[in-house]
């Protein structure tokens, strides 16, 4: 018998699968920040005083553009690399829950609120009657890490975890997790903006406690934006997540595992985090708890739990091409709530309904093969899966995900 087809995929294919699993907004932020850093590096631009968040310049010259330019520029390769690697798991998880357009709005809201907290604290420190200090007014901060700290607070609140692991070294209460990270970074790193990170944490707590609810529009507002003709091309992309749940193309395999209580490179065992950046095709069927602050639903594919004998038998029949009088049916659920679009009702396991292979007879179309190949699967694997799924694209994706 041939070895697992998925295991034969090269590094380029696996990296392609990993990148295709990142939703559109998160991947766009990674690309924008990376391109900006490369352009600055190539042209020799290092005048970050013109784009950083500088409280004195914002107040005296009303340079409010610094609120947004400061989060897109980074000072070094390690700075942008570490921030983007932290953004991928955090942003992907929140984008699948909130939706792409809603998360873009939330990021802008968090950036603005963090800047306001930054200005307020800097002014209080500079003009307090006991020991005034202009240090924070003259501090120049750049980087996406302030927004990342806000997202850490939101994701921690959403997960419902009681404790979090800091780099796999020790566990801390989830409520104090972001603050502990702030202290750790201040101790082990140099030239780190204490106030920038602290204000990001404050902004995240303000969001989770509902202080920004009056500033967040309803679902109809984001749905109207998604239905706009200007975004029609973007909405149809499989990586785009609708704010009401699901995505335009209806097939986005997720690479996150909701049973993991740590987030990204900022928590958990570091070696597990490194391996989690590679494609993972198995997902937990545990639904995310409902919360009025997170009304959206990212559409993910998860398969029902089956015994090891069933999985191995299905894989053996698919790969060896051996004929069998019966085929194994594995129903799937989307996000633990919805059934796959266009798919027949789930087979009752107690009835044990089967169908002879001789009745399948459907030849996979080139269009479906190319569509699955574009998602990063091997062509041979795609043809076998489509033949087993009788040409059903969603079922084929489920079979391919099970083999991963």
């Amino acid at each position: 018998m041939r070895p697992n087809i998925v295991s034969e995929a090269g590094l380029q294919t696996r990296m392609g699968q990993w990148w295709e699993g990142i939703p559109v907004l998160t991947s766009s932020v990674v690309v924008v920040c990376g391109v900006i850093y490369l352009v600055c590096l190539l042209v020799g631009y290092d005048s970050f005083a013109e784009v950083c968040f500088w409280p004195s310049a914002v107040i005296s010259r009303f340079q409010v553009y610094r609120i947004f330019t400061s989060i897109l520029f980074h000072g070094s390769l390690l700075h942008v690399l570490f921030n983007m690697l932290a953004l991928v798991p955090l942003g992907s998880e929140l984008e699948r829950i909130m939706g792409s357009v809603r998360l873009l709005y939330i990021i802008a809201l968090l950036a603005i609120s963090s800047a306001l907290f930054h200005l307020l604290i800097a002014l209080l420190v500079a003009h307090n009657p006991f020991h005034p200090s202009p240090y924070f007014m003259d501090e120049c901060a750049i980087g996406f890490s302030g927004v990342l700290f806000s997202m850490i607070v939101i994701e921690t609140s959403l997960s419902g975890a009681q404790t979090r692991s800091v780099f796999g070294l020790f566990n801390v209460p989830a409520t104090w997790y972001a603050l502990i990270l702030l202290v750790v970074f201040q101790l082990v790193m140099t030239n780190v903006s204490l106030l920038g990170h602290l204000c990001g944490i404050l902004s995240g707590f303000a969001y989770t406690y509902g202080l920004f609810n009056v500033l967040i529009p309803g679902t109809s507002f984001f749905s109207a934006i998604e239905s706009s003709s200007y975004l029609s091309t973007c909405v149809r992309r499989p990586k785009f997540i609708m704010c009401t749940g699901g995505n335009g193309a209806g097939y986005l395999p997720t690479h996150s595992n909701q049973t993991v209580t740590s987030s990204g490179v900022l928590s958990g065992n570091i070696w597990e985090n490194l391996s989690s950046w590679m494609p993972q095709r198995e997902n937990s069927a545990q639904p995310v708890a409902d919360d009025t602050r997170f009304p959206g639903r990212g559409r993910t594919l998860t398969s029902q739990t089956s015994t090891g004998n069933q999985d191995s038998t299905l894989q053996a029949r698919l790969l060896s091409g051996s004929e069998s009088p019966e085929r194994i049916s594995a129903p799937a659920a989307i996000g633990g709530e919805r059934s796959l679009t266009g798919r027949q009702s789930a087979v009752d396991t107690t009835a044990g309904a089967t169908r002879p292979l001789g009745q399948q007879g459907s030849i996979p179309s080139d269009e479906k093969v190319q569509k699955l190949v574009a998602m990063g699967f091997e062509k041979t694997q795609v043809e076998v899966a489509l033949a087993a799924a009788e040409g059903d694209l969603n079922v084929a994706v489920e079979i391919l995900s099970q083999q991963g």
Side-chain angles (χ1 to χ4, degrees), residues 31-364:
V31 170
V32 170
C33 291
V35 169
I36 289 177
Y37 175 76
L38 288 178
V39 171
C40 292
L41 189 65
L42 292 176
V43 303
Y45 180 83
D46 58 357
S47 300
F48 296 118
E50 300 176 358
V51 295
C52 68
F53 187 78
W54 187 1
S56 295
V58 174
I59 296 176
S60 61
R61 307 171 193 171
F62 200 64
Q63 296 177 342
V64 293
Y65 68 87
R66 292 176 179 269
I67 296 175
F68 300 104
T69 58
S70 61
I71 66 175
L72 298 178
F73 283 80
H74 292 80
S76 66
L77 177 61
L78 289 179
H79 189 195
V80 65
L81 184 63
F82 188 84
N83 278 355
M84 294 304 102
L85 287 178
L87 172 65
V88 167
L90 280 172
S92 298
E93 192 72 19
L94 292 178
E95 186 170 354
R96 292 188 181 102
I97 295 171
M98 298 181 180
S100 300
V101 176
R102 189 193 301 271
L103 181 60
L104 178 61
Y105 180 88
I106 295 300
I107 289 177
L109 179 62
L110 293 174
I112 295 174
S113 59
S114 297
L116 293 178
F117 281 127
H118 197 137
L119 290 175
L120 178 61
I121 296 176
L123 286 172
L124 290 176
V125 173
H127 298 91
N128 75 86
F130 305 103
H131 184 69
S133 172
Y135 174 78
F136 290 126
M137 291 295 295
D138 297 328
E139 184 183 55
C140 189
I142 58 173
F144 203 80
S145 53
V147 177
L148 283 176
F149 269 92
S150 298
M151 297 173 73
I152 290 173
V153 174
I154 296 173
E155 194 273 337
T156 300
S157 174
L158 179 62
S159 68
Q162 299 299 318
T163 61
R164 279 294 172 95
S165 176
V166 180
F167 297 104
L169 301 177
F170 54 91
N171 293 329
V172 297
T175 305
W176 297 93
Y177 174 61
L179 292 172
I180 296 298
L181 282 180
L182 173 66
V183 174
V184 170
F185 286 152
Q186 291 297 134
L187 293 177
V188 303
M189 295 183 179
T190 59
N191 199 25
V192 176
S193 175
L194 171 64
L195 189 56
H197 293 168
L198 177 61
C199 292
I201 294 175
L202 294 177
S203 182
F205 277 119
Y207 178 88
T208 57
Y209 283 103
L211 300 182
F212 296 157
N213 286 352
V214 68
L215 302 175
I216 302 177
T219 303
S220 58
F221 172 81
F222 299 106
S223 298
I225 296 178
E226 292 169 349
S227 61
S228 171
S229 59
Y230 298 103
L231 292 180
S232 58
T233 302
C234 185
V235 170
R236 286 196 298 267
R237 293 181 60 85
K239 298 172 63 173
F240 187 91
I241 307 296
M242 307 289 287
C243 71
T244 54
N247 56 79
Y251 58 91
L252 176 62
T254 176
H255 300 283
S256 64
N257 191 334
Q258 295 175 358
T259 60
V260 180
T261 58
S262 60
S263 58
V265 298
L266 297 179
S267 58
N269 187 285
I270 186 65
W271 301 114
E272 293 178 0
N273 292 328
L274 289 173
S275 63
S276 69
W277 299 339
M278 301 305 291
Q280 303 293 329
R281 292 289 177 177
E282 297 179 1
N283 300 279
S284 170
Q286 179 183 0
V288 180
D290 291 337
D291 196 310
T292 56
R293 300 188 299 274
F294 310 98
R297 276 291 179 268
R299 191 176 186 182
T300 60
L301 296 180
T302 56
S303 58
Q304 285 186 343
T305 305
S306 58
T307 63
N309 292 334
Q310 289 178 332
D311 290 340
S312 60
T313 303
L314 175 60
Q315 181 177 351
R317 289 176 181 174
L318 290 177
L319 296 180
S320 63
S322 60
E323 295 185 358
S324 173
E326 296 180 349
R327 61 188 287 260
I328 297 177
S329 176
I334 299 178
E337 297 178 359
R338 302 178 179 85
S339 60
L340 288 171
T341 304
R343 186 182 174 187
Q344 295 179 350
S345 301
V347 179
D348 188 354
T349 55
T350 60
T354 59
R355 183 182 301 176
L357 284 175
Q359 296 180 5
Q360 293 179 5
S362 60
I363 302 176

Side-chain angles (χ1 to χ4, degrees), residues 1-9 315-316 318-320 381 403:
M1 182 185 301
R2 291 181 57 193
N4 194 331
I5 296 177
V6 177
S7 65
E8 298 176 357
Q315 181 177 351
L318 290 177
L319 296 180
S320 63
Q381 178 192 11
Q403 297 181 10

